[in-house]
Amino acid sequence: MSSNNKIIIKMTDYYKGDVKRIFHFMKVYGIAKIIGEMENIPAEKQEILEIAAIVHDIGIKASEEKYQSSAGKYQETEGPPIAEAMLRDLGVKDSIIERVCFLIGHHHTYENIDDWDYQILIEADFLINMEEEKFRKDT
């Protein structure tokens, strides 16, 4: 089984019963994977992008429990430590975990974008949010 599939299974267990959240990360993962591949980004950046896309919203559950809110700022605070523990448990390399946690901690921050993985993650998440939240055409 691929390492991404192991992460997907862990995230599915983490969000057990929350179909909306599971489908959200799967859609973001699919879009991010395709964009990264079509842009031919370096292999390690692609790996980071794909893992980050799978776990990018891992902080929502803790945010809702702690703050009764899924606001982006709370996700960015609560998500990285949870993702770090999960990814470390799955044997993901420290350098990859570090960057993935950075991306989780900034995926609702749309300034100072420093690399392909960050740009594509934000774009994929935003595209899926637009569709899921039924943004008006003028938005």
Side-chain angles (χ1 to χ4, degrees), residues 88-121:
R88 195 169 304 287
D89 185 52
L90 290 169
V92 176
K93 291 188 318 189
D94 286 345
S95 61
I96 291 175
I97 292 172
E98 183 178 330
R99 181 64 179 175
V100 167
C101 287
F102 171 83
L103 294 174
I104 294 168
H106 294 84
H107 79 279
H108 285 287
T109 304
Y110 305 136
E111 52 195 37
N112 300 319
I113 295 171
D114 66 354
D115 211 334
W116 282 101
D117 52 0
Y118 190 177
Q119 179 72 41
I120 295 169
L121 177 63

Side-chain angles (χ1 to χ4, degrees), residues 8-115:
I8 289 168
I9 288 169
K10 279 284 196 187
M11 282 295 291
T12 301
D13 286 343
Y14 182 76
Y15 277 120
K16 189 173 192 154
D18 192 341
V19 175
K20 178 183 170 187
R21 301 264 190 255
I22 294 167
F23 280 0
H24 175 80
F25 80 72
M26 290 300 298
K27 289 185 276 188
V28 172
Y29 167 65
I31 296 289
K33 179 177 176 25
I34 291 166
I35 293 171
E37 288 174 352
M38 295 304 293
E39 292 294 339
N40 200 29
I41 66 174
E44 186 172 73
K45 284 290 172 193
Q46 183 72 26
E47 180 179 8
I48 290 166
L49 170 63
E50 291 180 20
I51 293 170
I54 297 165
V55 299
H56 75 281
D57 276 347
I58 198 167
I60 288 177
K61 192 173 172 181
S63 298
E64 290 175 335
E65 291 169 2
K66 191 171 183 178
Y67 307 103
Q68 293 72 54
S69 173
S70 63
K73 66 181 181 177
Y74 300 134
Q75 292 178 42
E76 290 181 339
T77 301
E78 300 299 321
I82 300 165
E84 180 180 1
M86 179 185 287
L87 297 174
R88 195 169 304 287
D89 185 52
L90 290 169
V92 176
K93 291 188 318 189
D94 286 345
S95 61
I96 291 175
I97 292 172
E98 183 178 330
R99 181 64 179 175
V100 167
C101 287
F102 171 83
L103 294 174
I104 294 168
H106 294 84
H107 79 279
H108 285 287
T109 304
Y110 305 136
E111 52 195 37
N112 300 319
I113 295 171
D114 66 354
D115 211 334

